[in-house]
Amino acid sequence: MIKKLSLISLFTLLPASYYYAQTTVYAYVKGQDGKPVERAEVDLEQSVDDVTADKIGYFQFVDLKPGHYLITVTKPNFESKILEFDVTADEKRKDLGVIVLNNSLGTDAGVVVIDDSATDTEDGGSSMQPTVGLLSSGRDAFQNVSAFELGAYWFRPRGVDNRFEDVMFNGVSMSKNDDGRIDFNNWGGLNDVTRYPYENVDNITPSEYAFGNLGGVAYYNTRASSYRKQTSLAYSFTNRSYLHRAMATYSSGMSKSGWAFTFSGSRRWGDNAIIDGVYQDAYAYFASVEKKFSERHSINFTGFGSPTYRASNSPNTQEVYDIMGKDYNSYWGWQDGEKRNSRIRKVFEPMFMLTDYLKIGKNSNWINTVSYQIGSDARSRLDWFHAADPNPTYYRKLPSYGLLTADEFRAQSQIDWNYLYNTNRLNLTNMDGSVKGASYSLVEDVNKDKTFNWASHFDTRLKENWKLNINFNFQNLNSDNFRRVKDLLGANYANNLNPFNNDARYNIDDENYKVKEGDRTQYSYQLHKNHYTLNVSTEIDFNKFNIVASIFSSYSEAYRNGDYRSGIAEFANNSKGKSAIYDALDAGIKGKITYKINGKNFIVYNGAFFSLAPTFNEIYINPRVVDFVTPGVKNQIVNSNDLSYIMRGQVLKLRLSGYYTTISNSTEISRYYAASSSSTNSGAYNTLINEAMSGADKRYMGAELGFDVKITPTLNATGVASVGEYKFTNTPQVYSFDDQIGFRSYGKANIKDYKVAGTPQKAFSFGLKYNSPKYWWVGASANYLMDQYLDFSALNKTATLYTIPGTSDVLYDGVTPELIQQLTAQKKFDDQFMLNANAGKSFQFGKYRMGISVSVNNILNNRDYVTGGFEQGRLANFPQALEENNRGTPYFGPKLWYDRGRTFFTNVYLRF
């Protein structure tokens, strides 16, 4: 009987002992400053139930059985930390204490300063746009180094430019409809509130909030309560695109009454940092106000803007640089003892958002944002009517042309504002006494957008290891585009007539061709677009595998509405009024598979296949004049794959990736003045060419390596290698449009195997950083950049170059395959070495924290690195091209931008 009772007791107590043997493990995550780190991801190797730290940095795992465990704690802009621990059978609760995450390189280094003045050029070159990675570093060494070291030299990971990246504020895309690029000017100077994205995925990794593109997604959540409660004051001094920056930010945190406020403001100003005649005065403001109605519901208002006034710098030929030096800028001249720049960009496009946050049940969230953005982007330039080109670097003024010596060129190497005013004053009237229009004027190309967005995000956890996301976006755009007279420079009026086409009226319906300051001139039209996007993604987490899948579909309809009826008969019926609607349907799929070898080693595959509708800039070959659609324009098709091995050890963190991407059916538009010839007239003429290259295919392939090794507890070494090949893989069609003969087909461009320009195709970096326990740090990096290529003119790569006008196959005398190869070869720039350094220290005085940092790029003052450039397309026939090639100094050499040499950025802040 006693034995039976013992057996019954044993089997009765077994479940209880098994239950009580399970343990709750918990800890707090904090930063170096002792403040909680919220939303840190905590990955438990032995479980699929990963957790996220809450607002006070607390996390826990429940019901852990006895055994040995490993967790990895990660948070963007912090160094990840791996912790191992044991759970014994007698522990009900296990306290892991405080887990301290150290700031990663760059967190307190101030801000990456992007000099985007090169983006303001209208000379037909490639767009030198910064990338998303430049604005926010990620969690691995490759992303950090790409942003803070190589990114300063226009390095683009995987060759992907700004067109293929996404930045979102509360679900609203910040990409522009005209060219698909991101204009960082819209929130420039708001670094305190945009320093840390809520989500930051790189390359083709699927996002929870959008389908994404080739270059990743940076998602910013501007919810007032999400910002750390503090006041921050900062001042920066630099010699890059401005001299001074002052910034202040205040976050209240959530009050007991359910209100939270975050405000930020800044100013950036200064002139002649390095390049002559460049100055900037930019303000920025940000306000976020949240009202919390319950634990499940709150509404947030966000408003931000960055009114910016900035002068640009010119690209120049090598001849000009050799005479004037690398700091030369042809866009400015002296007026009344002050420097006046003709190329001023004035942009202010404020954004207003209302976001509703709703928690549904235990596992679901629904976030809706409506936004409205207005404002204008105006870019000035000199215009002239039956007068000489005022550009100091016009080719007839260069010493190589033979009219001026080098000393004479130097003496008149800047814009002569007095000459422009005097010319207008001497020509106020005609010989018969009638009033005469301006010979010179200053005009502005203006873009005024009104954009409405609705972004809806729904997520739910179907099971503990299964999550579903649904995103819907709608956008309505009304874009007003026109040129206006900014300054008559002493004249009575400007002529709204086309001097390049027998003074034809730009608007034949308006008999008054005399325009005053502030009036529209030359072109005026609107672009309208409705865009609908649906994206669904899901993530399933297993013990050894994590699987993410994402699909999307979108529909857009766009049209042009012209205000002017062209005075050129061929275009009169296609210039004014509403055009036909151009509609496009897109779709795509992405996938990510992660194999967890263990808690430290992973293999990750990403794949994507999707289409991209053309932008306005690609749809209309010359929207300023007509509504003609670019011949051959189609949706681009993107196919991309990458495979990575990732190690996240306590001593060594490493990622090794290989990638292969193809882009098909791309359309590229360039605009420049060219010397060309008519198919019906052998005589040459000068005209503004709108060049379209349609159906271009590209291939991007390569490998990436990034590592961070902890040599000692305070000394880290980081290394990055990016070896890529980005090239064209076919011979696309080339078309042009101008107001002399309209459309013209040039046949195929022989550009197969030409390299994609705009970035070094190979880059290497090695750096050391010392982190003192006393909160100071110092670091340095050596960077090597290779395989930078010149952007080419497609028209000059067609058979038009070497065949006689009016024929399709009759060659000019003297044409040989060797000469064609010599005239059309793509220029490759020399490899370059750059040395960077940075240092900083933080201080704690009770509740006050102060920090100072300084970074110096290009310490050796290397001025030979070409950051960008493009081939001039002015010569489109063999005799002139050969003559140009044989000159010791060409008239129309490539236009180049050089690195600015040694630059620095210092920052001091106070937080409390």
Side-chain angles (χ1 to χ4, degrees):
M1 184 67 179
I2 294 175
K3 289 183 179 180
K4 290 181 179 180
L5 287 174
S6 299
L7 287 172
I8 292 171
S9 299
L10 175 63
F11 284 105
T12 302
L13 293 173
L14 263 179
S17 64
Y18 179 78
Y19 173 80
Y20 284 115
Q22 296 183 354
T23 306
T24 296
V25 175
Y26 63 95
Y28 292 86
V29 183
K30 294 186 177 182
Q32 289 176 293
D33 56 3
K35 294 185 178 180
V37 176
E38 60 178 300
R39 295 191 59 81
E41 299 292 334
V42 187
D43 179 20
L44 181 64
E45 176 189 356
Q46 293 80 1
S47 171
V48 299
D49 299 330
D50 301 337
V51 298
T52 302
D54 62 18
K55 288 189 175 183
I56 61 172
Y58 176 81
F59 71 88
Q60 67 177 21
F61 290 97
V62 298
D63 298 339
L64 294 188
K65 300 176 184 178
H68 183 73
Y69 291 89
L70 181 148
I71 60 173
T72 303
V73 186
T74 58
K75 168 82 174 179
N77 297 291
F78 289 88
E79 295 179 356
S80 60
K81 180 156 289 187
I82 296 175
L83 188 68
E84 297 184 65
F85 61 91
D86 293 303
V87 172
T88 59
D90 59 347
E91 291 179 298
K92 293 183 180 180
R93 290 178 63 82
K94 186 176 186 68
D95 184 2
L96 299 180
V98 175
I99 300 174
V100 178
L101 298 186
N102 295 321
N103 296 324
S104 64
L105 177 63
T107 300
D108 285 319
V111 59
V112 179
V113 177
I114 294 178
D115 173 24
D116 56 356
S117 58
T119 67
D120 297 337
T121 181
E122 294 182 356
D123 293 306
S126 61
S127 182
M128 297 170 53
Q129 291 281 354
T131 64
V132 170
L134 286 172
L135 279 256
S136 56
S137 66
R139 67 177 57 175
D140 71 25
F142 189 90
Q143 289 174 288
N144 281 327
V145 173
S146 296
F148 291 99
E149 306 298 335
L150 298 174
Y153 307 109
W154 302 98
F155 170 74
R156 294 171 176 166
R158 303 189 180 184
V160 175
D161 67 22
N162 190 290
R163 163 75 168 89
F164 297 97
E165 297 177 325
D166 285 320
V167 171
M168 309 185 80
F169 279 75
N170 304 316
V172 174
S173 174
M174 302 303 290
S175 298
K176 293 295 184 181
N177 279 280
D178 57 348
D179 59 7
R181 300 182 184 276
I182 303 161
D183 189 353
F184 297 101
N185 288 284
N186 286 168
W187 65 94
L190 296 174
N191 306 88
D192 272 354
V193 291
T194 60
R195 187 184 300 275
Y196 308 120
Y198 188 79
E199 182 193 51
N200 188 18
V201 299
D202 58 325
N203 306 312
I204 56 173
T205 304
S207 163
E208 292 187 13
Y209 297 93
F211 181 77
N213 209 311
L214 272 177
V217 176
Y219 180 95
Y220 292 98
N221 174 19
T222 64
R223 192 173 185 174
S225 61
S226 69
Y227 294 99
R228 177 179 297 180
K229 181 180 179 180
Q230 68 175 7
T231 298
S232 175
L233 305 174
Y235 169 76
S236 305
F237 180 64
T238 180
N239 67 339
R240 296 176 184 174
S241 57
Y242 54 84
L243 296 179
H244 311 278
R245 186 193 69 180
M247 184 164 54
T249 302
Y250 166 76
S251 294
S252 68
M254 183 61 71
S255 69
K256 294 181 180 179
S257 59
W259 287 94
F261 304 90
T262 295
F263 303 104
S264 186
S266 74
R267 185 189 179 198
R268 294 161 291 156
W269 73 100
D271 58 1
N272 297 329
I274 292 180
I275 303 299
D276 293 335
V278 173
Y279 41 87
Q280 180 174 165
D281 195 3
Y283 293 83
Y285 65 83
F286 173 92
S288 180
V289 180
E290 180 181 356
K291 172 56 180 174
K292 181 179 178 181
F293 298 100
S294 69
E295 292 299 323
R296 294 181 170 272
H297 186 214
S298 66
I299 293 179
N300 194 94
F301 167 80
T302 302
F304 62 87
S306 182
T308 301
Y309 181 91
R310 188 180 70 242
S312 301
N313 65 285
S314 63
N316 302 295
T317 63
Q318 189 60 51
E319 176 185 6
V320 173
Y321 283 123
D322 289 342
I323 298 171
M324 301 300 300
K326 302 289 175 58
D327 297 336
Y328 173 69
N329 178 15
S330 68
Y331 289 160
W332 69 274
W334 293 100
Q335 182 181 352
D336 298 331
E338 295 185 359
K339 292 182 178 180
R340 182 180 181 182
N341 195 307
S342 63
R343 300 289 186 100
I344 299 294
R345 185 178 182 191
K346 189 175 182 179
V347 56
F348 181 38
E349 298 177 307
M351 172 80 81
F352 305 96
M353 296 179 163
L354 194 63
T355 305
D356 182 85
Y357 299 89
L358 181 64
K359 186 172 182 61
I360 304 172
K362 289 180 59 179
N363 300 317
S364 303
N365 298 281
W366 191 18
I367 304 172
N368 287 275
T369 298
V370 291
S371 73
Y372 188 62
Q373 186 175 22
I374 56 175
S376 69
D377 186 347
R379 308 183 190 211
S380 68
R381 62 181 302 149
L382 284 170
D383 194 28
W384 56 99
F385 186 84
H386 295 305
D389 190 333
N391 179 8
T393 60
Y394 180 59
Y395 79 98
R396 293 177 183 269
K397 301 177 183 179
L398 297 178
S400 60
Y401 192 75
L403 296 179
L404 299 176
T405 66
D407 288 337
E408 289 172 331
F409 174 77
R410 290 189 192 95
Q412 56 183 51
S413 58
Q414 305 301 150
I415 293 174
D416 190 343
W417 290 101
N418 290 331
Y419 170 79
L420 304 184
Y421 276 90
N422 289 335
T423 300
N424 281 343
R425 289 175 182 138
L426 292 173
N427 292 276
L428 290 176
T429 59
N430 293 300
M431 294 184 65
D432 60 2
S434 59
V435 178
K436 188 177 181 180
S439 298
Y440 296 99
S441 61
L442 195 66
V443 296
E444 283 183 310
D445 293 309
V446 183
N447 171 255
K448 286 187 174 183
D449 285 353
K450 296 179 180 179
T451 310
F452 172 80
N453 289 279
W454 172 36
S456 183
H457 168 83
F458 176 79
D459 66 74
T460 186
R461 192 167 289 279
L462 302 174
K463 291 184 178 180
E464 284 299 318
N465 65 331
W466 186 7
K467 189 175 183 181
L468 176 70
N469 304 293
I470 302 174
N471 301 298
F472 175 77
N473 293 78
F474 167 72
Q475 183 180 85
N476 171 261
L477 169 72
N478 293 289
S479 179
D480 190 12
N481 301 265
F482 57 92
R483 177 171 285 182
R484 70 183 172 205
V485 177
K486 182 179 181 181
D487 192 337
L488 286 171
L489 305 180
N492 293 307
Y493 64 87
N495 294 288
N496 196 20
L497 303 173
N498 187 346
F500 297 102
N501 200 310
N502 301 316
D503 291 353
R505 293 189 180 185
Y506 285 107
N507 185 11
I508 200 171
D509 291 337
D510 186 359
E511 295 184 359
N512 180 23
Y513 58 85
K514 302 175 181 179
V515 290
K516 301 287 188 178
E517 288 183 3
D519 291 345
R520 300 191 180 203
T521 183
Q522 302 184 20
Y523 70 88
S524 178
Y525 65 93
Q526 292 80 46
L527 296 172
H528 303 270
K529 185 177 184 179
N530 287 323
H531 191 206
Y532 310 81
T533 304
L534 178 65
N535 164 237
V536 179
S537 66
T538 186
E539 179 178 0
I540 304 177
D541 201 19
F542 301 104
N543 281 325
K544 284 293 185 178
F545 286 93
N546 176 276
I547 300 173
V548 183
S550 180
I551 60 173
F552 98 104
S553 181
S554 72
Y555 173 76
S556 62
E557 50 187 17
Y559 66 91
R560 173 190 181 273
N561 187 36
D563 296 328
Y564 288 178
R565 189 183 308 279
S566 175
I568 302 173
E570 294 89 338
F571 312 135
N573 295 330
N574 294 92
S575 50
K576 187 174 183 177
K578 182 179 177 180
S579 70
I581 292 176
Y582 185 95
D583 57 3
L585 182 66
D586 279 327
I589 184 170
K590 280 186 176 183
K592 176 185 177 183
I593 301 174
T594 302
Y595 174 63
K596 309 173 187 177
I597 301 173
N598 51 45
K600 298 180 181 180
N601 298 274
F602 308 85
I603 294 176
V604 181
Y605 165 77
N606 285 287
F609 184 80
F610 57 93
S611 62
L612 285 175
T615 63
F616 276 132
N617 191 51
E618 296 161 346
I619 295 172
Y620 300 109
I621 192 167
N622 188 8
R624 292 182 176 185
V625 179
V626 291
D627 59 14
F628 292 156
V629 174
T630 303
V633 65
K634 296 179 181 178
N635 290 31
Q636 296 186 65
I637 305 298
V638 178
N639 187 357
S640 184
N641 297 268
D642 67 44
L643 184 66
S644 300
Y645 165 69
I646 299 172
M647 175 187 287
R648 294 196 312 211
Q650 193 74 5
V651 175
L652 174 64
K653 300 178 183 65
L654 177 146
R655 175 167 68 85
L656 175 64
S657 301
Y659 59 91
Y660 186 92
T661 299
T662 60
I663 301 176
S664 305
N665 297 333
S666 69
T667 299
E668 300 189 10
I669 308 289
S670 299
R671 295 179 173 91
Y672 50 82
Y673 284 94
S676 187
S677 57
S678 169
S679 60
T680 59
N681 186 346
S682 61
Y685 61 87
N686 291 322
T687 187
L688 179 65
I689 294 289
N690 300 271
E691 175 192 295
M693 186 170 65
S694 300
D697 297 343
K698 306 173 191 176
R699 186 186 72 194
Y700 302 76
M701 62 182 296
E704 298 170 338
L705 170 67
F707 68 84
D708 184 337
V709 58
K710 191 175 289 294
I711 301 173
T712 71
T714 56
L715 181 64
N716 281 60
T718 57
V720 158
S722 177
V723 179
E725 182 187 62
Y726 323 133
K727 68 179 185 179
F728 291 85
T729 57
N730 71 335
T731 54
Q733 291 286 334
V734 178
Y735 305 88
S736 72
F737 176 87
D738 62 70
D739 59 9
Q740 296 280 346
I741 59 174
F743 274 118
R744 181 177 178 182
S745 174
Y746 289 85
K748 293 183 178 295
N750 299 310
I751 62 167
K752 187 177 181 180
D753 294 329
Y754 275 58
K755 298 302 194 303
V756 176
T759 180
Q761 303 211 357
K762 297 180 178 65
F764 306 89
S765 180
F766 178 78
L768 292 171
K769 181 189 177 186
Y770 177 79
N771 270 307
S772 169
K774 296 183 179 180
Y775 301 105
W776 63 268
W777 52 267
V778 61
S781 71
N783 307 280
Y784 196 69
L785 304 127
M786 301 175 60
D787 295 359
Q788 173 89 310
Y789 290 86
L790 182 72
D791 201 5
F792 55 84
S793 167
L795 188 150
N796 290 351
K797 305 300 180 284
T798 67
T800 302
L801 176 69
Y802 48 84
T803 57
I804 296 175
T807 71
S808 59
D809 56 3
V810 179
L811 303 181
Y812 284 101
D813 292 338
V815 172
T816 65
E818 292 76 18
L819 272 177
I820 294 174
Q821 171 63 28
Q822 182 180 343
L823 295 177
T824 60
Q826 187 178 20
K827 180 176 177 56
K828 179 183 177 182
F829 299 112
D830 294 336
D831 303 338
Q832 302 294 332
F833 174 79
M834 302 291 185
L835 186 64
N836 299 343
N838 49 74
K841 178 167 176 57
S842 61
F843 309 85
Q844 195 81 29
F845 309 103
K847 68 174 184 176
Y848 295 91
R849 185 185 180 195
M850 181 180 176
I852 184 170
S853 63
V854 59
S855 62
V856 183
N857 288 341
N858 195 355
I859 294 174
L860 302 179
N861 199 33
N862 180 355
R863 300 304 304 271
D864 295 329
Y865 178 54
V866 178
T867 59
F870 56 93
E871 183 180 65
Q872 295 195 69
R874 299 181 63 100
L875 301 173
N877 64 73
F878 179 79
Q880 290 180 334
L882 182 61
E883 182 182 1
E884 175 80 351
N885 181 75
N886 291 335
R887 290 191 184 100
T889 303
Y891 294 164
F892 306 111
K895 292 286 189 77
L896 308 173
W897 285 278
Y898 277 92
D899 186 78
R900 297 190 171 190
R902 186 183 301 112
T903 61
F904 66 88
F905 185 87
T906 59
N907 185 61
V908 59
Y909 67 84
L910 177 66
R911 297 172 187 161
F912 53 92

